[in-house]
Amino acid sequence: MDTLLAFLTVFTQPELLLLVGLGTFAGVYVGAIPGLSVTMAVSILISFTFSWDVYPAISLMIGIFMGGVYGGSRTAILLNIPGAPSAIATALDGYPMAQRGEAGTAIGVTTVMSFFGGFIGIAVLALAAPLVSDFALKFQPRDYMLLAVLGILLVGSLSSGSLVKGIFAGALGIAIGAVGRDPLTFTERFTFDLTIMQSGISFIAVMIGMFGVSEALMQLHHVDKTAVRQKITRIVPSFGTIRKHLPLSLQTSTIGVIIGALPGTGGDIAALMAYDHAKRVTKKPERPFGQGAMEGLVAPETANNAAVGGAFIPMMTLGIPGDAVTAIMIGALFIHGLNPGPMLMIDQPDMFWFIVGALVMANFFMLLFGLTGIKLFTRIVEMPRGVLIPLIMLLSIVGAYAVNNSISDIYWMLGFGFFGYFMRHYGYPLGPVILGVILSRLLDDNWRRAIISEREDLGRFFHGIFTSPLSLVLFIAVILIFVSQTPLWARAKAKLFGDPAERVQQ
Amino acid sequence: MKRFVFGAASALVLAATAVAAQDYPSKEIQGIIQWGAGGSTDTVMRSVTPHAEDVLGGTVVMQNVTGGVGAIALNQVAGQAADGYTLLMGAENPLLYKVMGLGDKDYSDFTPINILARGTPILVANPDAPFDDYPGMLAYIRENPGELRLGATGPGGLPSVVTAMINTVEGEMEVISVPYDGDGPALTALQGGAIDVMPAVLGAAIEGIRAGNMKPLAVFDVAASDRLPEVPPVTDFNEGYKTYLPWGPFFGVFVKKGTPDDVVAKLVDAYAAGAETAEFKDLMENRGFSMLSISGAEATEFLAKWQQGTTWLLQDAGLTKTSPEEFGIARP
Amino acid sequence: MSRIETEHHDGTSDATPGGYEGQRRPGELVFGALMVIGSLVLLWNAYGISGFEALSAPGTVPMATTAVMVVTSAIIFLRDLRLPRVAGESVAKDILPGVVLIIALMLVAYGFLLKPLGFLPTSALFLIAALKLLARRGWLWTAFVALGSLLLVWIVFRIVFTVLMPAGIVPEAEVIQAVRNLFAGGQ
């Protein structure tokens, strides 16, 4: 009974309801603007809500979190500029749809699927949090390393052009991620003895440059072309469309929850993995991936919103942040006199159920704000490019600076903007670069931890992999995906099963 | 047009500031936090500053400037004018920059406004570890050399100092040191069994200990902590630690050296009052930090003593790049 | 004219990057060569981090990844060498047309001016110049749109999100405090 009351707190108090709504609304816009991040917004809210009670403060933060994760898809679809790293995969098929004038449909599907994914995430949080967090704790450094390798193999799905160029781009990304002082030993890497290189290259700056500035420069080629008129008549997808994608969205939501619950990985990796998964399991998309496949929207958007619920799992059960935003929320709970940790669920179960309730509410608000106000957003895209391009550039600059309040990030952003421009011209995919930067630390740090733990002994390292069921499953997945991407496999399969085009990459 | 308005308004304000420094603060104050959002330093600073703002009658805009173990933030503040409009909100790390080769500036280039609180190190183990107390751990290491996985957070971090202390007092331990990028991720790994023992700050481990997800071995202090009275201090097992303890990481607010005295005085008053508030004291208590709230000569002396003790300990453990002697840091 | 419409392969969606399957675009060879050289420099640098000290050394992963970069960039370069050039394309027309070059230079200038001049003046100059060049409307319209949107961006980032962009010659903090005092006085 108490549980139900705590869960319903947010629904019964108009003030809290209003704050969740306000947060979600603001979150959609914060998420949509590249460079304004949920992490930033929530950390500012800590000072802002300092003197408030804990419930209102948390309500506002949860709204921003939910809305922000969703908001990243807006600019990805409309401008080909992901508002946040977790929306990179969304741009791959969302933007081609917008170019056909189907931005309304794309946003509609994205919204409903984000809602669905968000709901799955919350449901798992509410029903199975202790179970999932136990599972997440089982991940050893070698498992994180295998997960990173699995992620790097996504390069194959992210580069539809030349695979060699994709691999080059991915390796470049990993190298970019290593720049600066190594966080484990403080050794300088790729710094060329320059102070500006010491703090490393912010991956948000790389992302904004490669996707924002280089896209804007690209569009200068046809600055006078009028923008595509967007049909925004049918926004809410039909029930048939939703039902068709239900099995896929369940799978990708599961990916989202698990990746979100793992400390150290978040919605960005989850969305990319889900995109890759969709590409593997979808036999016959209505349109090819990369040209506006609906599945290419469904997968990343369900996954990144499911990751929100996932991120709360270790936070609520163990006091361990599932991602950067929950890390700040833990700080906020401390400031408000709570002690987030394994005892929180026992000492203050109300807090847990209140957060679940607020998340549910935020999810509904996200659906509401997602399906309304689309007109305003599409107006932005229909603005003359001559006006839009300078504004995108200014936002990119401010956004890059805002990440860490550093001018050198602006230089990096511009540098990678120019570099990305040439990469686009010469057929190098940009997605793998960002993927590499995201995964660089995960791979490098955990590889080193894993091999240090085994006293630098490769034999012991592999013994560890083969004796742990979790590591073994991940290892086999890595091998299978790797083999399935090599030409040898396609040839063998063609012999065994006949026409290979019918079943590309199981 | 807009710039004209700005110019006019600013001319007025500038004229006002020129007349009297007593008007401090006549504009927003920037607070540069050395560590990322959500970290201990961030939480502490964001919870004390609003109270200080009330006393100060101004606004402190806090920003996280991370990277280079905090050196980026330190250098940024050092590069600003010494007018009290840029505060450095940091932890103990800068005192080790020189010997660790991470930078050529430390807190001797700054005036301490308030050293807010000090943390206490505690040694925690995975609940499944084959020992239950500190002597048991030492015995286990002796019997199984090179098997125990000990968490670390890079040279100069709390675990490296505690490890250096143990090595100095008990003799060299043969363990595997697994590096993590902060005590949060390391304690997570400890609960998952990726490492066996971790020296951490008490506040970070306390909830895990209460829930039985970690087992405490010893508090690195001369007396038991009020928060965990049942955990023995390490000096109960070996008196040798008394040379180095009490020791712990700390948080402080600083301004660049050369800031006018009256401005420093105002800031000192504001932060002292902020640290006195019940809410802040409760927060520190809950996180297992010991309140210090010291400033002026007392703070300078605290910093000097801390630097002497720690740098020489690390020097003797062979962890430094340059000897403290080079920088005129005398052996304690 | 056998020139292919640029719209189809300018890489507008990242899923279908630009470039041609069996041909090389103007400048592609130079870019490829630069990538090879760059990768070699990085590999050498990565070797310098810790050499072949240990499997867990900080330089191990950087060395492995830059080695991959060297190999792949070499393959790309050698393959490009054998490809025929795209007919009818030139660097000046299809890769770096005047307008892109001008805007790129303006961005570089922005980077240089930001610190000494401050965010507001630099951005105002940039927006006015870029809008005038790209949208080709009257001065009044240009100034209105530029300053209006700059004000909006400034309010969102500076006031709401307290991102302190370099103030330069504009005493922002004093002005904000003055406004704040005004409101505080009014209460």
Side-chain angles (χ1 to χ4, degrees), chain B residues 85-108:
Chain B
Y85 285 105
T86 323
L87 310 180
L88 177 67
M89 303 176 157
E92 73 285 357
N93 320 65
L95 291 177
L96 303 175
Y97 287 167
K98 286 180 178 168
V99 291
M100 288 294 171
L102 292 171
D104 49 10
K105 286 199 170 68
D106 62 16
Y107 286 141
S108 57

Side-chain angles (χ1 to χ4, degrees), chain A residues 390-406:
Chain A
L391 289 181
I392 290 177
M393 287 175 169
L394 183 72
L395 276 178
S396 300
I397 291 172
V398 186
Y401 179 84
V403 178
N404 201 14
N405 301 302
S406 102

Side-chain angles (χ1 to χ4, degrees), chain B residues 263-277:
Chain B
V263 171
V264 172
K266 272 194 176 171
L267 284 168
V268 167
D269 286 348
Y271 272 92
E276 279 308 306
T277 52

Side-chain angles (χ1 to χ4, degrees), chain A residues 61 112 146 190 232-233 239 251 290 342 437 442 476 488 500:
Chain A
M61 288 178 192
V112 174
L146 288 169
F190 299 128
I232 40 170
T233 41
F239 185 68
Q251 294 160 16
V437 185
L442 193 68
I476 291 171
L488 205 73

